[in-house]
Amino acid sequence: MPDAAAPSPDHALIANFYAAFARLDAEGMIACYHRDVGFSDPAFGELDAARVRGMWRMLCGRAKDLVVEVSGIVADGDHGGAHWEAHYTFATGRKVHNVIEAKFRFADGKIIRHDDAFDIWRWTRMALGPAGVLLGWTPLLRGAVRRKANAQLDAFLAVKPGKAG
């Protein structure tokens, strides 16, 4: 009986990305990305390549108790995906368990597109407490979360401009 086929290079790329994330190794994560990568998620919205790199450097640099678990990695042709969960303490001191579905597109042996989807109302309830429970479903609070996340990224990039690219 033949052995099961080895994972595709794109499957391994996704696994390497999340292994680097679990180690808080932003440079290892960034090495998995194409130079022209695009990213989106409910917290930051749409980010260009320089801001994607800056975001991971900021998040990995600030993380204190992050635990990343990944499962369900798939890669087929130039598309892929994964289920991942993050456990951490948010800046408010509240514990968060975020459940994320990631979609990827590949080009030149790298990730050129990364889209994370998660329930922002569930996240605001955990991260923000009562305000998240009452307002987390509203566009008003969702917009405020996005503005704050991007303002923090802007401040990070202003202090470490060479770390964007």
Side-chain angles (χ1 to χ4, degrees):
M1 180 184 291
D3 291 332
S8 73
D10 293 331
H11 184 283
L13 186 65
I14 295 170
N16 290 340
F17 177 85
Y18 286 108
F21 194 11
R23 296 188 310 270
L24 301 178
D25 176 7
E27 300 311 313
M29 297 170 72
I30 292 165
C32 296
Y33 279 150
H34 190 280
R35 71 181 176 282
D36 297 323
V37 68
F39 174 89
S40 72
D41 82 353
F44 284 91
E46 186 69 34
L47 299 178
D48 66 18
R51 291 180 68 76
V52 174
R53 291 186 288 270
M55 176 194 66
W56 291 124
R57 288 175 175 134
M58 178 182 76
L59 293 176
C60 287
R62 291 182 177 175
K64 302 287 183 253
D65 62 351
L66 176 68
V67 175
V68 173
E69 301 167 342
V70 65
S71 62
I73 295 173
V74 295
D76 185 17
D78 60 355
H79 290 84
H83 172 89
W84 67 281
E85 300 186 23
H87 303 263
Y88 59 95
T89 304
F90 189 61
T92 58
R94 300 179 60 84
K95 297 287 186 187
V96 171
H97 171 203
N98 204 7
V99 178
I100 303 106
E101 297 301 324
K103 291 183 181 176
F104 301 97
R105 209 168 66 239
F106 310 106
D108 304 324
K110 301 281 186 172
I111 298 166
I112 194 161
R113 182 73 205 174
H114 178 176
D115 296 295
D116 278 348
F118 59 88
D119 183 339
I120 191 75
W121 187 25
R122 181 179 184 275
W123 181 88
T124 61
R125 291 191 313 257
M126 287 182 283
L128 305 177
V133 171
L134 295 173
L135 300 171
W137 60 273
T138 66
L140 179 70
L141 187 59
R142 290 175 187 210
V145 166
R146 187 167 291 173
R147 283 188 300 279
K148 180 159 181 136
N150 279 285
Q152 290 175 344
L153 180 54
D154 291 340
F156 177 83
L157 294 174
V159 172
K160 301 185 181 200
K163 284 292 190 177

